[in-house]
Amino acid sequence: MDESRLAASLAKAGLKYLGMADSTAPLIPPALAGFANSCPAEGVTDVEYLMSDDPQLLEKANSGWYRLSREGGLFPTGNPEFLLAVNYAEPDEPHVWRWARVSLSDPWDIAGTGAATGILGNGSGHPAFVMLALDGNAIIRAQQGEKSTEFVLVREPHRVRFFRQHGEWMARRPRTGEFDRTAIERWLTATAE
């Protein structure tokens, strides 16, 4: 991965790249956290749902993301640092998702310019990403549907049965890569109650 190119792309969105997170930390891995939008309703803390044809989509998406992030615990007021899932593989290799540490700068535009970079989405107005609080206690997943955009907030994923069961399944699945399998097993062991 070209970290200088990643930093430049993130800067366009108003995110400062602070380096890759320690891959041995017992955090829920991006490959598992990315299923937050599939989490049953009892595991979801909050959802921001927007229609794609809304003329104020970018403004509403950015303000909705910020509200969920601040109120949901992605980052505290005054210290807007969090983790963002990024593909760490080389362009011609299979995806390897890892956490990058970032901080929110001013000005920022997650849903517009950020999504247009390809790091935070699939074009302006089409956000698609997974973010995690530094302590691992809040996930925000953005997903673009056929006619809508949704931001899902899940608090304390280690207490959500869906993530534990899905993680156990992924760890047993032969198609799960060794990096992801090890990260999932580490998280499941570290958060077992």
Side-chain angles (χ1 to χ4, degrees):
M1 163 184 261
D2 182 345
E3 290 189 48
S4 62
R5 202 171 88 227
L6 173 64
S9 291
L10 290 171
K12 291 176 185 176
L15 296 175
K16 182 178 179 186
Y17 176 63
L18 303 174
M20 298 304 294
D22 179 358
S23 63
T24 63
L27 297 168
I28 187 170
L32 181 55
F35 286 95
N37 60 308
S38 300
C39 190
E42 63 268 12
V44 174
T45 305
D46 200 353
V47 177
E48 187 76 28
Y49 186 82
L50 305 162
M51 296 308 295
S52 296
D53 61 356
D54 187 326
Q56 295 181 313
L57 176 64
L58 293 181
E59 295 83 6
K60 288 180 178 178
N62 278 327
S63 65
W65 169 81
Y66 187 77
R67 180 190 66 79
L68 282 180
S69 300
R70 192 176 27 81
E71 295 174 7
L74 183 67
F75 53 79
T77 303
N79 184 25
E81 289 186 20
F82 53 95
L83 302 172
L84 171 67
V86 297
N87 178 17
Y88 200 70
E90 295 302 319
D92 57 343
E93 296 176 354
H95 286 99
V96 176
W97 295 100
R98 292 209 26 216
W99 293 120
R101 190 171 180 150
V102 298
S103 66
L104 190 62
S105 301
D106 197 25
W108 55 268
D109 181 8
I110 300 297
T113 307
T117 67
I119 303 292
L120 297 170
N122 304 309
S124 181
H126 302 281
F129 54 76
V130 181
M131 297 173 174
L132 182 70
L134 295 179
D135 64 5
N137 281 325
I139 299 169
I140 293 190
R141 168 78 161 103
Q143 178 175 313
Q144 180 72 37
E146 191 174 312
K147 296 182 179 183
S148 64
T149 297
E150 92 177 348
F151 297 92
V152 174
L153 168 66
V154 176
R155 295 277 304 141
E156 299 184 333
H158 62 282
R159 298 185 189 277
V160 178
R161 184 179 171 114
F162 167 81
F163 283 112
R164 300 199 68 76
Q165 289 177 333
H166 198 70
E168 290 166 359
W169 174 80
M170 287 178 72
R172 291 190 309 268
R173 184 174 173 235
R175 288 181 42 193
T176 301
E178 191 57 36
F179 180 84
D180 288 332
R181 181 184 333 283
T182 301
I184 290 167
E185 290 171 347
R186 181 184 309 114
W187 177 73
L188 287 169
T189 300
T191 59
E193 294 182 352

